[in-house]
Amino acid sequence: MNIILLGPPGAGKGTQARKLVDEHGMVQLSTGDMLRDARNSGTKMGRVVADVMDRGALVTDEIVIGLIAERLEREPESVVFIFDGFPRTLAQADALGDLLDRMGRTLGVVIEIAVDDEALVARISGRFTCEGCGEVYHDTIKPPVKDGICEECGSTEFSRRADDNEESLRVRLLAYYKQTSPLIGYYHAKHLLKSVDGMADMDTVSAEISRILAEA
Ligand code: ADP
Ligand code: ADP
Ligand code: ZN
């Protein structure tokens, strides 16, 4: 049973996806991470997506669907996926449905993580990530226990995203409301939507998600 985590930038999708990987052995498919890898690869496609991402706009459906299709085909049948940051448009949602159907896979539940806009600015501006293992931290909400050392892997290298600034966040939020939030209605109509209060602390959100998965 595959799941989608849906929510605005900074809602906590990546944080919760990592917990699901740790606790339930699922495989996280983050199109944001795939696109960041693509831009670092120095290919022509990488150069095209870099500019779009830095502006905070959405990369074309064609590119994103292509990346996902390629990944899905590579993984063994037994794998359970968590889609993090995908789909982000109705066209992507339709394409995902077709891909899963063709592979004999099902979508079990779509979990919307709802967070107030004002909280997103604070989350995004304090976010940083471990270069070694991808663990997501926050300057004040979730700093590493030992300053400057990743709790998960011991790395001392961290990075901040070029698009994690207020200006880009404004564009990303607009893209979310205009292009992605219609998916809430789309999955509601398919009886797949569950919502969690993303304003709660990380552990509470995580417990709520585990409860939903146990019932699904
Ligand atoms: P966030 O943490 O803000 O939700 P992501 O890491 O998921 O952001 O995505 C970062 C950027 O990558 C987006 O602003 C967008 O430019 C691009 N991107 C990621 N996923 C998609 C997608 N499914 N469709 C189009 N663009 C995407
Ligand atoms: P997304 O993948 O949806 O963009 P992240 O998981 O990267 O979001 O979280 C964005 C920032 O907010 C990170 O710095 C993370 O540590 C922090 N964060 C995640 N969940 C919560 C929460 N429930 N309460 C407060 N801060 C959170
Ligand atoms: Zn680490």
Side-chain angles (χ1 to χ4, degrees):
M1 185 193 68
N2 303 288
I3 70 172
I4 293 174
L5 296 180
L6 192 64
K13 302 179 297 294
T15 299
Q16 296 302 328
R18 288 182 65 84
K19 281 183 189 276
L20 291 170
V21 170
D22 285 349
E23 292 164 18
H24 300 270
M26 298 174 176
V27 168
Q28 175 185 9
L29 290 188
S30 157
T31 41
D33 287 347
M34 291 177 200
L35 290 166
R36 278 183 285 279
D37 287 346
R39 68 182 288 175
N40 292 334
S41 68
T43 58
K44 182 162 172 260
M45 192 253 268
R47 284 192 292 279
V48 172
V49 305
D51 175 56
V52 177
M53 290 175 84
D54 286 345
R55 275 190 289 122
L58 293 187
V59 172
T60 62
D61 290 333
E62 194 189 355
I63 290 179
V64 176
I65 293 165
L67 286 172
I68 284 281
E70 195 190 307
R71 267 307 293 277
L72 287 182
E73 275 154 20
R74 256 195 283 143
E75 299 285 347
E77 231 168 90
S78 57
V79 163
V80 177
F81 296 110
I82 315 158
F83 296 98
D84 157 16
F86 176 89
R88 260 173 152 101
T89 63
L90 290 167
Q92 291 177 19
D94 280 337
L96 177 63
D98 291 346
L99 276 171
L100 292 175
D101 279 350
R102 225 180 308 140
M103 293 173 169
R105 296 179 183 270
T106 54
L107 189 57
V109 62
V110 177
I111 301 176
E112 180 210 359
I113 305 179
V115 175
D116 298 346
D117 292 356
E118 304 78 69
L120 297 173
V121 181
R123 289 191 187 184
I124 291 281
S125 40
R127 166 162 67 184
F128 60 99
T129 306
C130 170
E131 287 281 276
C133 70
E135 184 68 3
V136 185
Y137 289 100
H138 189 280
D139 290 324
T140 53
I141 305 163
K142 191 190 185 247
V145 174
K146 274 199 206 137
D147 196 26
I149 303 171
C150 176
E151 291 156 33
E152 300 295 320
C153 74
S155 168
T156 53
E157 303 285 324
F158 297 90
S159 64
R160 287 179 197 263
R161 281 168 45 177
D163 59 341
D164 274 352
N165 57 70
E166 235 182 298
E167 195 186 327
S168 158
L169 178 66
R170 261 201 309 278
V171 181
R172 282 148 74 195
L173 256 188
L174 196 64
Y176 177 76
Y177 287 117
K178 205 169 157 182
Q179 294 170 276
T180 308
S181 68
L183 298 186
I184 294 171
Y186 176 97
Y187 286 119
H188 170 74
K190 289 181 182 282
H191 306 291
L192 288 172
L193 189 79
K194 298 277 181 198
S195 292
V196 299
D197 176 12
M199 293 297 288
D201 62 64
M202 289 172 208
D203 290 341
T204 306
V205 175
S206 162
E208 185 64 9
I209 290 176
S210 293
R211 194 186 57 76
I212 289 170
L213 293 182
E215 284 175 3

